[in-house]
């Protein structure tokens, strides 16, 4: 994880030797292990590159990196496959080495088409004065752009900052492809042309109409002096996943539906599916591919055993290197069980469980005092005294995700009793939510601005911060997760019909419409979720990793007909995410395999904290803070 930024100026009076203080501060929070700035000046433009590194693998490589020809590279990504990176190597160095050897545009596109894993990058070619930038196919790493009102400058950055009145807002760089601009031409003409290289399946013969639509969408909110055009050579990036199987007519009889349609959701109900040899094989294939995806994301970290030989840690002093955003639901439970397979058994795993809790207005004073003794005091950057512990006058047994989280912890302890599972209870008061939204979270969620963005952005920020408390045999104690890698289950609902809108769509219009809904979900996940979540989690100097969006996982799920992934003729708790529930059964999970979907904003109860009459799609006034 890194914070990367390039500020380009075209007029001498706007040349800068440093970034604005608030933007620099936000970038440094993303990359606390090293930072550096590099100024590249030409006759009529200036580029200020700023890199801030979170060190996770290989040799610490300070960014930006520059070669002997003056080319400059900023990389915020993880190479999990496609391009060979040895265990002891740093992927920034490897990617830059390959980029420096590219002889043509086609070579550059071929390189980025191969990379498996999340990335965003900025690459300056000194000899041609070209600036390249973009995000991976799913948009798992944030990248924003901001263009000045008068065409004198623009900025590309992992994260933005609060804007003042009269300043153009930050916008997300679309994850529809990568972009290249000629800085010499832009400086002389005062007109920025962004050459666009879209993602495309090799089998797609004619995508002109789709490209025109994408170009129109990208150009809508750009100023008049910026235009996006298809690259002249009509070159493209190869999509890293296979096309979605749109088959909507089930060939085989619906035997399972007849067997269990009238039976309530139970583990035995799910076991019926394993009597079908084909379904059993599909589930095992899915579990194997997902397991490899998790393995890629939890190995090759800087662990305690990488410390100098003279440093010996006691078992109780070992820190978790991996944390999971954990509700106890099916997605986070499967990820936790698979993580347990792949990391050393003497290494704890942090389960981060967030709850937003209101004060109980009618609680008698003497009961309040007693509960306050029993509750933990949680450390906080802003609230060192009460720290989101809500002073005990709240009932976390009313918070759904806390209930399922504790139940999920017991299941994990049953299937892996030797593992230390740190169930981190993160309690957030209304006071702390309102203060830190204004001072820390607001600019991270932007440019997204709905009530839903506010709820999920705040919930993920507090959860990923990892400040809470642990229940131990010696009593409750305050705790802060030191894990730099956070696994999240995002992508499961989108691919496996996990949302209620999928069920409504299926019941109204059938399988074909359900397939279309899933295709739309995957197509918009970059702009709807991933950029925001990357900015929010990265603000703590931590890196979000998404096993369900591993290219091989998505390709496998895309290859299956819809009825092998979900069967919405079956009741909630079975039909949606069916293949994942069956995988959970194979992992030895019990009650969690049957939990219906519950959205984070409701499970954590953040949606109950403030204005209950708001709709999720409405613009959120609480995010419209202008400094």
């Amino acid at each position: 994880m890194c914070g990367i930024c390039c500020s380009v100026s075209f007029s001498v009076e706007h040349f800068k030797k440093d970034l604005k203080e608030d933007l620099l501060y936000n970038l440094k929070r993303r990359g606390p292990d090293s930072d550096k700035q590099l100024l590249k000046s030409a006759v009529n433009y200036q580029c200020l590159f700023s890199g801030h590194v979170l060190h996770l693998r290989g040799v610490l490589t300070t960014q930006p990196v520059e070669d002997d020809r003056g080319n400059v590279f900023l990389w915020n990504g993880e190479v999990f496959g496609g391009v060979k990176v040895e265990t002891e190597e740093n992927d920034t160095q490897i990617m830059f080495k390959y980029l420096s050897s590219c002889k043509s545009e086609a070579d550059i596109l071929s390189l980025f088409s191969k990379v498996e894993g999340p990335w965003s990058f900025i690459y300056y070619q000194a000899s041609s004065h070209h600036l390249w930038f973009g995000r991976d196919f799913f948009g798992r790493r944030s990248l924003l752009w901001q263009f000045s009102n008068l065409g004198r400058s623009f900025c590309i950055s992992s994260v933005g900052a609060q804007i003042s009145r009269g300043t153009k807002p930050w916008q997300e760089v679309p994850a529809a492809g990568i972009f290249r601009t000629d800085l010499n031409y832009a400086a002389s003409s005062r007109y920025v042309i962004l050459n666009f290289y879209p993602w495309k399946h090799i089998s797609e013969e004619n995508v002109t109409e789709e490209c025109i639509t994408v170009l129109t969408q990208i150009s809508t909110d750009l100023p008049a002096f910026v235009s996006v055009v298809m690259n002249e050579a009509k070159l493209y990036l190869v999509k890293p996943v296979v096309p979605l199987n749109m088959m909507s007519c089930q060939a085989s009889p619906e035997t399972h539906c007849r067997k269990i349609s009238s039976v309530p959701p139970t583990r035995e109900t799910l076991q019926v599916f394993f009597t079908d040899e084909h379904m059993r094989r599909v589930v095992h294939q899915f579990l194997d591919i997902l397991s490899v995806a998790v393995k890629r994301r939890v190995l090759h970290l800087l662990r305690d055993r990488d410390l100098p030989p003279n440093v010996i840690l006691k078992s109780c002093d070992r820190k978790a290197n991996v944390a999971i955003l954990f509700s106890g639901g099916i997605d986070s439970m499967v990820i936790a069980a698979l993580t347990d397979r792949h990391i050393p058994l003497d290494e704890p795993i942090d389960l981060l469980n967030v709850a937003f809790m209101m004060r109980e207005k009618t609680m008698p004073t003497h009961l309040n005092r007693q509960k306050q003794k029993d509750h933990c005091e949680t450390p906080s950057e802003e609230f060192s005294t009460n720290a989101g512990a809500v002073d005990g006058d709240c009932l976390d047994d009313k918070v759904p995700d806390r209930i399922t989280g504790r139940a999920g912890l017991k299941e994990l302890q049953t299937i892996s009793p030797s593992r230390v599972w740190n169930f981190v209870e993160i309690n957030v008061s209304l006071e702390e939510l309102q203060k830190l939204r204004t001072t820390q979270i607001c600019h991270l969620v932007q440019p997204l601005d709905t009530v839903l963005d506010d709820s999920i952005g705040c919930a993920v920020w507090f959860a990923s911060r990892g400040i809470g408390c642990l229940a131990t045999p010696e009593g409750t104690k305050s705790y802060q997760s030191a894990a730099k890698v956070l696994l999240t289950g995002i992508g499961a609902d989108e691919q496996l019909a996990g949302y209620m809108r999928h069920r409504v769509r299926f019941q109204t219009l059938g399988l074909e419409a359900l397939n279309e809904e899933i295709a739309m979900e995957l197509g918009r996940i970059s702009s709807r979720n991933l950029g925001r979540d990357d900015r929010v989690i990265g603000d703590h100097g931590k890196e979000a990793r998404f096993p369900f969006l591993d290219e091989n996982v998505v390709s496998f799920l895309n290859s299956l007909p819809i009825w092998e992934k979900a069967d919405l003729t079956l009741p909630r708790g079975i039909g949606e995410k069916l293949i994942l529930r069956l995988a959970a059964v194979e992992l030895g999970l019990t009650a969690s395999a049957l939990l219906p979907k519950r959205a984070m904003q409701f499970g954590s109860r953040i949606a109950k904290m403030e204005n209950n009459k708001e709709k999720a799609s409405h613009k959120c006034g609480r995010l419209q803070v202008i400094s």
Side-chain angles (χ1 to χ4, degrees), residues 188-252:
S188 59
S189 65
R190 293 295 173 92
Y191 193 80
V192 178
I193 297 177
L194 299 173
N195 290 275
F196 177 56
Y197 301 82
W199 294 100
K200 172 187 167 185
H201 286 300
I202 296 177
S203 58
E204 292 175 319
E205 294 182 3
N206 186 6
V207 291
T208 304
E209 185 175 332
E210 181 182 338
C211 278
I212 291 173
T213 302
V214 171
L215 290 172
T216 302
Q217 292 172 345
I218 295 173
S219 302
T220 300
D221 296 321
L222 295 176
F225 65 89
V226 182
S227 66
V228 185
V229 300
M230 184 67 182
N231 70 91
E232 291 182 3
K234 302 295 190 290
L235 298 172
Y236 60 89
L237 297 141
V238 178
K239 289 184 178 180
V241 297
V242 303
L244 181 66
N245 185 336
M246 299 296 286
M247 190 183 301
S248 58
C249 180
Q250 187 167 351
S252 58

Side-chain angles (χ1 to χ4, degrees), residues 577-597:
K577 298 191 282 193
L578 174 62
I579 192 173
L580 185 60
R581 298 182 188 282
L582 295 173
V585 170
E586 289 293 271
L587 289 170
L589 301 178
T590 53
S592 59
L594 297 163
L595 289 175
K597 166 68 180 177

Side-chain angles (χ1 to χ4, degrees), residues 458-586:
C458 289
V460 171
W461 190 88
F462 280 104
S464 57
R465 186 175 65 164
I467 295 178
C469 54
L470 292 179
T472 70
E474 294 77 33
T476 302
K477 67 175 185 179
S478 61
Y479 182 82
Q480 180 165 4
S481 173
K484 290 183 177 181
V485 169
L486 269 65
L487 301 183
T488 169
I490 193 167
D493 290 305
E494 288 78 3
Q495 297 179 80
L496 302 176
Y499 295 117
M500 183 57 71
R501 59 179 174 268
H502 290 122
R503 190 171 286 272
V504 172
R505 183 88 165 161
F506 168 72
Q507 291 172 343
T508 307
L509 297 169
L511 279 178
E512 185 175 347
L514 177 58
N515 272 326
E516 292 171 355
E517 189 78 10
I518 288 173
M520 181 199 68
E521 295 275 12
L522 274 178
R524 71 180 185 180
I525 197 169
S526 63
S527 59
R528 188 177 175 90
N529 302 89
L530 294 175
R532 176 199 65 211
D533 290 355
D534 177 72
R535 291 189 295 276
V536 166
I537 294 172
D539 190 56
H540 302 297
K542 301 181 180 184
E543 178 169 285
R545 295 185 175 179
F546 312 96
F548 287 109
L549 292 174
D550 179 90
E551 287 81 358
N552 294 313
V553 171
V554 176
S555 284
F556 177 75
L557 292 176
N558 276 1
S559 72
L560 299 178
I562 182 61
W563 57 84
E564 291 181 358
K565 297 181 283 190
D567 188 343
L568 301 187
T569 64
L570 303 177
R572 290 187 71 216
I574 294 184
E576 75 281 11
K577 298 191 282 193
L578 174 62
I579 192 173
L580 185 60
R581 298 182 188 282
L582 295 173
V585 170
E586 289 293 271

Side-chain angles (χ1 to χ4, degrees), residues 28-135:
K28 285 181 176 180
R29 285 181 65 87
R30 291 178 62 87
D33 295 326
S34 80
D35 60 85
K36 175 184 170 184
Q37 294 198 20
L38 175 65
L39 194 63
K40 299 290 287 187
S41 296
V43 174
N44 48 9
Y45 69 84
Q46 174 190 270
C47 294
L48 177 60
F49 299 93
S50 190
H52 309 268
V53 177
L54 175 68
H55 184 212
L56 293 174
R57 64 194 261 188
V59 178
L60 175 60
T61 302
T62 300
Q63 296 193 47
V65 288
E66 183 179 14
D67 64 17
D68 54 8
R69 290 175 291 172
N71 300 321
V72 178
F73 184 50
L74 288 164
W75 171 251
N76 177 25
E78 295 289 347
V79 178
F80 293 131
V83 174
K84 189 174 183 180
V85 180
E86 300 293 347
T87 303
E88 68 280 0
E89 291 180 322
N90 181 275
D91 55 355
T92 303
Q93 295 176 343
I94 298 300
M95 287 297 296
F96 191 37
K97 181 183 75 173
Y98 282 122
L99 263 180
S100 295
S101 66
C102 289
K103 306 298 184 185
S104 64
E105 296 174 38
D107 289 343
I108 293 175
L109 299 178
S110 176
L111 173 62
F112 283 105
S113 296
K114 292 175 184 175
V115 177
E116 296 176 14
W119 50 263
S120 62
F121 79 98
I122 301 170
Y123 177 50
Y124 171 71
Q125 286 182 303
S127 61
S128 61
H129 304 278
H130 287 171
L131 188 71
W132 296 75
F133 58 94
R135 303 162 68 191

Side-chain angles (χ1 to χ4, degrees), residues 344-536:
L345 193 56
D346 62 351
E347 183 177 305
I349 297 174
D350 286 349
L351 307 174
L352 307 180
N353 182 274
V354 67
F356 294 80
M357 298 186 284
M358 299 290 289
R359 297 178 184 277
E360 294 292 320
K361 297 179 181 178
T362 59
M363 185 177 291
T365 305
H366 69 282
L367 290 179
N368 176 39
R369 288 200 191 101
Q370 181 60 43
K371 285 182 68 66
Q372 188 167 350
K373 292 178 183 177
D374 297 336
H375 205 86
C376 71
E377 182 178 284
T378 311
S380 167
E381 296 171 1
E382 298 290 332
F383 290 77
S384 57
T385 53
N386 66 353
V390 205
D391 291 335
D393 50 354
C394 61
L395 300 177
D396 62 359
D397 59 2
K398 290 184 178 181
V399 180
D401 280 359
R402 183 58 50 81
I403 299 168
T404 54
R406 287 172 176 159
L409 171 65
K410 291 180 180 178
E411 283 193 34
L412 293 172
Q413 289 171 331
T414 298
I415 65 173
S416 184
S418 299
R419 171 80 61 191
V420 174
W421 299 95
N422 290 327
F423 184 69
V424 188
E425 298 186 4
I426 299 162
N427 301 324
V428 185
S429 68
L430 179 61
E431 179 187 14
E432 187 175 20
L433 168 64
Q434 291 176 337
K435 180 174 180 61
L436 290 178
R437 177 198 283 121
T438 301
T439 59
Q440 294 286 116
I441 307 171
C442 190
H443 73 273
L444 301 168
V445 176
Q446 295 170 352
L448 305 191
D449 60 2
T450 68
V451 171
L452 182 64
D453 293 315
D454 173 53
S455 294
I456 295 181
C458 289
V460 171
W461 190 88
F462 280 104
S464 57
R465 186 175 65 164
I467 295 178
C469 54
L470 292 179
T472 70
E474 294 77 33
T476 302
K477 67 175 185 179
S478 61
Y479 182 82
Q480 180 165 4
S481 173
K484 290 183 177 181
V485 169
L486 269 65
L487 301 183
T488 169
I490 193 167
D493 290 305
E494 288 78 3
Q495 297 179 80
L496 302 176
Y499 295 117
M500 183 57 71
R501 59 179 174 268
H502 290 122
R503 190 171 286 272
V504 172
R505 183 88 165 161
F506 168 72
Q507 291 172 343
T508 307
L509 297 169
L511 279 178
E512 185 175 347
L514 177 58
N515 272 326
E516 292 171 355
E517 189 78 10
I518 288 173
M520 181 199 68
E521 295 275 12
L522 274 178
R524 71 180 185 180
I525 197 169
S526 63
S527 59
R528 188 177 175 90
N529 302 89
L530 294 175
R532 176 199 65 211
D533 290 355
D534 177 72
R535 291 189 295 276
V536 166

Side-chain angles (χ1 to χ4, degrees), residues 7-42:
S7 179
V8 181
S9 302
F10 296 122
S11 58
V12 175
E13 64 270 21
H14 282 79
F15 282 3
K16 301 171 185 175
K17 293 185 178 180
D18 206 347
L19 297 175
K20 290 183 178 179
E21 185 177 344
D22 55 348
L23 178 57
L24 192 59
Y25 170 78
N26 294 335
L27 288 163
K28 285 181 176 180
R29 285 181 65 87
R30 291 178 62 87
D33 295 326
S34 80
D35 60 85
K36 175 184 170 184
Q37 294 198 20
L38 175 65
L39 194 63
K40 299 290 287 187
S41 296

